[in-house]
Amino acid sequence: MLTTLRQIVEGVTQAPSLHDAMNVLVRQTRSAMQVDCCTVYLAESQRRRYRLVATDGLALEAVGKVTLPYDEGLVGLVGRREELLNLADAASHPNFKYLPEVAEDDFNSFLGVPIMQQRQVLGVLVVQQADSRQFDESDESFLVTLVAQLAARILHAEMKGMLHADQQWRRSLKGVAASSGVAIARAWVWRPKMELEHVAPKQSDDPELQLELFNQAVLQVQLDLDATALRFRESVSQDSMAIFEIYQHLLTDPAFIQQIEAEIVREKWSAASAVRRVSERFIQQFQAMSDSYLRERAVDVRDVAQRLLSHLAHSQIDEFDFDEPVVLLAEEVTASLLAEVPRERLAAMISLRGAVNSHAAILARAMGIPAVMGLELPLAGLEQRLLVVDGNRGELLVEPTQSVLDEYRQLIRQAKAMDDRLGAESHLPSETLDGARISVLLNAGLNLESESAMRDMADGIGLYRTEIPFMLHDSFPSEQEQTLRYREVLANFSGRPVCMRTLDIGGDKPLPYFPIVEDNPFLGWRGIRLTLDHPELFLAQLKAMLRASESHDNLSIMLPMVGSLSEVQAARRLLDQAWLEVSEELGRKGSSVRYPMLGAMIEVPSILYILPELAPYVDFWSVGTNDLTQYLLAVDRNNSRVAGLYDAFHPAVMRVLQQIVGTANGHGKTVSICGELAGDPLGVLILMAMGYRTFSMNLNNIARVKYLIRRVKLADLYPLLEMGLHQGSSAALKGLFTGYLEQLGLNDLLPPK
Ligand code: PEP
Ligand code: MG
């Protein structure tokens, strides 16, 4: 059964168009199941009907023409119930609908299964048989397994078909709304892989730079290969492992490497062109050999060359040249890719993988660019097409009609007017109508320039994500480099508190020069776990922060991903050591540095139960609701498949947040919120009602949140929270606070639905 299934899936996947794919599906399924007829109906959601798109057994004239409303016939019933229907005598079923044009009079038995993708019915696959018999269990399980494997591919083929047909899209594609706002711009598809043949011969007037890029690419590929070899060591045979050795050998083979270097230095070819020229010569030589083993080596050369080119393509991102901003599209837009593209060239981003609180989404929000993630879509057909990215609804429209474009242009104008309205008040203090002073801080680390330009809006920095500069480097930044950067930040916010978080890499924030290969990266070597294992990195960072704070005295330090008391104690010992060393050093020139406040982030659920024990060792807590939600709900914040389950307003998260503020007050500790919930208008109101008074958020949310705070009364919020928490559902809780905003005429502060 597995072989047959695989053959059908491959046949469908490889078909050049949706039409061909559906024909392959019905033909091969009919033959594999030895039935008299197989038909596929695809849903047209806007018109609420199914269209017969391919059949092997019914009248061919009906293909593409016959449609069935969602609420009619057996096909409609399968779709509505979202379950299989197995009938020995279809015509006697009350839902049976006779369609003369499909000529199904000869068939009695009917087995229909819904084609489901992410809770959505894409269509119905039906097999029929002339004799009146119930299909058996093995038929049912075959068909169910087949459609489960095919659903994503059918959706993909459907999209591809639409793109190729070049028709105006009547329907939008739905993904996860990852960063609000609307943008209209042309598509630019980011492909990390560059094919050898696609490298255009190009010369360079900076051979030194090209040589440096090439050497870095070699190093990167070596690291990648080591990491892959490590991953496969347990699971594959020694023969297969030999391939990694061959690749590594090629990367150190002077004949190969020196020829490329010579092409760069002497002939002035760009690094990518030199790789292509030399690799092609090697490939030709190997291909011409009579020994079959050596002939095969041509494949290895090509693979290694392609790996080098991928890295070279990546390091050339700043070379892209557009007249106007583009929509960046990629299989997976990572935080580092996003941070590398100049802001002024980015209108929006679409990532097929990732979800609302992946770090790329957080960066998109911090940069103020609309983003949609988790779409099922063939990227190749989108290059250069005009797109509308609706980050409020999580929708993408391709080549929309003029009237749709006009509607979206109007929305963009309205959003701009709103931003101006909010901006006009952004320098005013954030105080509620009944006099409660709320501290509004900035989540910083992405873009020093824009963060500094807007610094007057914030009361300080509540979370400085130090990992972003690490991600943009090609090796660990030196202590000196770090000192300079941190000093700039502390100086920019002089007189206001700045909370720097120690390095939080791992999870979905890998460093290109420090590969970590793990099955479960979010449960793996992340944050404080990693830095405590590398005290040399941790101490360098702590010393850089301390040295940078000389004469500013506004530094506090925060530890990410703390899960136990011993981690804080170990970190405290290292901070003592770093402080003593820096104090000694500064003391020699008659200066000194204040011992900073040390805080722990509340992200890992275990820490919730040891807050009292932790209290003597920390000065403050800050709740990272992004990770706390992920770990409490066991929902990967980066996985679009479970995006619907990721809910920072979940009653469990709410209860925990309420407990935290109570414990913090009981121990006289300050507690802030620095996860994305702090920048959400409903989140802020709920958290204020719980007792939180310090919120740290993206630059983009500050004006909105301050505007909101200045228009509400704390006293109004308490009864709403009381009522909302008893309802036991996030929708009910949010509904109550949304109603309050509506009463105040402030609901336009919420993203449009
Ligand atoms: C969080 O987890 O809420 C947080 C602020 O940290 P990050 O998003 O950087 O993981
Ligand atoms: Mg976190």
Side-chain angles (χ1 to χ4, degrees), residues 37-314:
C37 173
C38 177
T39 309
V40 61
Y41 299 83
L42 289 185
E44 294 179 349
S45 55
Q46 290 206 327
R47 298 192 195 167
R48 302 190 49 76
R49 64 186 184 185
Y50 295 101
R51 185 177 294 277
L52 190 161
V53 295
T55 184
D56 187 2
L58 297 184
L60 286 176
E61 304 81 69
V63 172
K65 297 196 192 91
V66 164
T67 60
L68 260 174
Y70 275 3
D71 50 6
E72 282 185 17
L74 296 176
V75 168
L77 186 64
V78 172
R80 261 193 330 280
R81 286 209 196 147
E82 301 180 352
E83 65 177 359
L84 166 155
L85 185 64
N86 185 353
L87 303 170
D89 180 14
S92 65
H93 191 279
N95 282 72
F96 178 79
K97 181 162 188 229
Y98 181 67
L99 296 172
E101 58 279 40
V102 301
E104 59 184 337
D105 311 55
D106 294 342
F107 305 120
N108 288 306
S109 45
F110 171 105
L111 175 61
V113 286
I115 306 168
M116 304 287 309
Q117 170 75 355
Q118 302 240 304
R119 298 191 186 180
Q120 198 193 335
V121 182
L122 297 181
V124 176
L125 185 64
V126 177
V127 291
Q128 289 168 283
Q129 190 80 333
D131 46 336
S132 239
R133 63 141 174 146
Q134 196 95 25
F135 284 98
D136 65 21
E137 261 179 51
S138 66
D139 295 323
E140 288 187 359
S141 84
F142 181 85
L143 215 55
V144 167
T145 316
L146 178 66
V147 294
Q149 288 200 20
L150 276 178
R153 289 174 169 87
I154 290 177
L155 186 61
H156 209 75
E158 214 181 351
M159 303 300 168
K160 198 156 90 184
M162 288 173 136
L163 287 168
H164 285 164
D166 215 20
Q167 66 199 63
Q168 293 262 329
W169 283 34
R170 300 278 174 245
R171 74 176 214 218
S172 59
L173 303 171
K174 191 97 184 87
V176 177
S179 174
S180 62
V182 172
I184 303 173
R186 295 216 168 260
W188 181 67
V189 179
W190 160 254
R191 284 184 205 83
K193 282 215 166 26
M194 201 196 259
E195 296 289 324
L196 205 52
E197 289 73 21
H198 294 165
V199 178
K202 217 165 94 184
Q203 288 192 300
S204 152
D205 46 17
D206 191 352
E208 262 178 38
L209 172 71
Q210 295 301 316
L211 196 60
E212 171 66 25
L213 290 174
F214 172 65
N215 288 332
Q216 277 173 18
V218 171
L219 193 71
Q220 285 295 340
V221 175
Q222 286 172 330
L223 285 172
D224 289 355
L225 287 170
D226 279 347
T228 319
L230 205 64
R231 193 170 42 189
F232 285 121
R233 202 175 43 199
E234 318 277 83
S235 55
V236 302
S237 68
Q238 282 310 310
D239 289 354
S240 315
M241 289 298 292
I243 192 74
F244 295 112
E245 281 162 32
I246 293 173
Y247 284 10
Q248 290 286 21
H249 180 70
L250 198 60
L251 286 167
T252 47
D253 180 357
F256 184 61
I257 297 295
Q258 284 173 8
Q259 280 195 38
I260 298 177
E261 288 175 344
E263 295 263 337
I264 295 174
V265 177
R266 278 192 238 128
E267 317 268 332
K268 310 244 180 310
W269 288 108
S270 72
S273 306
V275 169
R276 176 179 176 175
R277 290 167 61 84
V278 174
S279 308
E280 282 183 343
R281 283 206 295 270
F282 268 67
I283 290 170
Q284 274 165 12
Q285 282 164 13
F286 277 122
Q287 278 171 340
M289 289 182 179
S290 51
D291 182 298
S292 65
Y293 174 81
L294 289 175
R295 264 201 317 274
E296 277 301 304
R297 298 286 68 80
V299 178
D300 302 337
V301 177
R302 170 179 290 278
D303 195 7
V304 166
Q306 230 118 254
R307 285 165 188 261
L308 287 168
L309 290 175
S310 303
H311 285 286
L312 287 168
H314 192 68

Side-chain angles (χ1 to χ4, degrees), residues 698-741:
N698 282 328
L699 189 57
N700 231 31
N701 290 328
I702 290 192
R704 184 180 305 262
V705 167
K706 285 179 92 170
Y707 186 94
L708 170 67
I709 291 172
R710 293 170 51 76
R711 281 166 178 75
V712 298
K713 272 201 195 124
L714 206 47
D716 291 343
L717 304 177
Y718 299 129
L720 290 175
L721 179 71
E722 181 72 25
M723 220 185 314
L725 289 182
H726 282 110
Q727 313 248 342
S729 93
S730 61
L733 177 68
K734 289 201 293 191
L736 282 171
F737 282 86
T738 306
Y740 176 64
L741 289 185

Side-chain angles (χ1 to χ4, degrees), residues 289-355:
M289 289 182 179
S290 51
D291 182 298
S292 65
Y293 174 81
L294 289 175
R295 264 201 317 274
E296 277 301 304
R297 298 286 68 80
V299 178
D300 302 337
V301 177
R302 170 179 290 278
D303 195 7
V304 166
Q306 230 118 254
R307 285 165 188 261
L308 287 168
L309 290 175
S310 303
H311 285 286
L312 287 168
H314 192 68
S315 53
Q316 280 168 3
I317 186 143
D318 52 356
E319 281 184 15
F320 71 7
D321 198 13
F322 305 112
D323 300 336
E324 39 190 57
V326 291
V327 178
L328 165 68
L329 292 104
E331 266 305 306
E332 178 159 25
V333 177
T334 57
S336 47
L337 170 60
L338 198 55
E340 265 180 84
V341 182
R343 167 68 189 92
E344 64 282 4
R345 308 221 183 132
L346 263 188
M349 73 98 154
I350 302 281
S351 179
L352 303 196
R353 272 186 269 144

